[in-house]
Each structure stands twice: as C-alpha cells, then as structure tokens.
Amino acid sequence: MKEQLEKRLVQLKAEFASGQKVMADLEAKQANLRDTLLRISGAIQILEELTSATSQDEYQNNKYVQEEANFEYQFKEEIQQNVNESQTVRATKEHKSH
C-alpha cells in the first residue's frame, strides 16, 4: 500500500510540475499578446489622430481657399463698381460740358 501511495505521489508531482510549465508558457504568451495589443492600440490612436488632423487641415485649407475666392470676388465687384461710378461721373461731366 505504501508503495502505491509513493508511486501516486511521484505521478502527481510530475503532473504538477508539467502543469506549472504549461501555466508559465501561457503566462508568457499572454504577456506577449498584451504587449502586441498595446502596440496595435497605440498605432490605431496615432493613425486616428493623423486622420483627424489631416481632415482638419483639409477643412482649414478648403475654408482658406473659399475665403480667398470670396475676397477676390468681392474685390472684383468693388473694382467694377468703381469703374461704373467713374464712367457715370465722366459721362455726366461730358454731358454737362456739351
């Protein structure tokens, strides 16, 4: 009976050691996977920020182009009004002198 108990004790110790090794391997894999996921998460965050910044830059650039176009249009309108007023004044002066 004692021999059977000792034999069983040796078997259990071997299984326990094997289980500890498997657990250590799994914990190492878990740590590696956690590090990989952390790097991926960081890369996602950076790309989202770059995408957002690019969108904001494009928005600002489009807004700037639109403002420039509006300014140019208004400037041309003012010039045309000044030309029209000058022509009217000139025509009025010519008409009065005749």
Side-chain angles (χ1 to χ4, degrees):
M1 174 92 172
K2 185 176 180 181
E3 286 180 26
Q4 289 177 334
L5 292 175
E6 287 176 355
K7 185 177 178 184
R8 183 67 180 141
L9 179 60
V10 169
Q11 288 174 342
L12 290 175
K13 284 184 178 183
E15 287 179 25
F16 185 80
S18 175
Q20 283 184 320
K21 184 181 181 322
V22 169
M23 184 182 295
D25 290 343
L26 290 174
E27 287 172 349
K29 286 180 182 180
Q30 182 182 25
N32 287 337
L33 180 58
R34 186 179 306 115
D35 291 344
T36 300
L37 290 174
L38 187 59
R39 283 193 299 274
I40 291 170
S41 173
I44 288 170
Q45 182 177 355
I46 289 171
L47 291 175
E48 286 176 341
E49 289 173 5
L50 288 173
T51 302
S52 176
T54 301
S55 295
Q56 289 175 356
D57 288 346
E58 287 174 2
Y59 172 77
Q60 289 296 335
N61 287 339
N62 288 340
K63 186 177 177 183
Y64 175 76
V65 168
Q66 189 175 19
E67 287 173 356
E68 283 292 312
N70 288 340
F71 176 77
E72 187 175 330
Y73 177 76
Q74 289 172 350
F75 185 69
K76 285 180 180 178
E77 278 189 342
E78 288 177 21
I79 290 174
Q80 187 61 45
Q81 285 176 348
N82 288 339
V83 167
N84 290 343
E85 288 173 7
S86 295
Q87 288 173 346
T88 302
V89 168
R90 189 177 305 134
T92 304
K93 285 182 181 178
E94 288 177 4
H95 185 357
K96 287 182 179 178
S97 66
H98 287 296

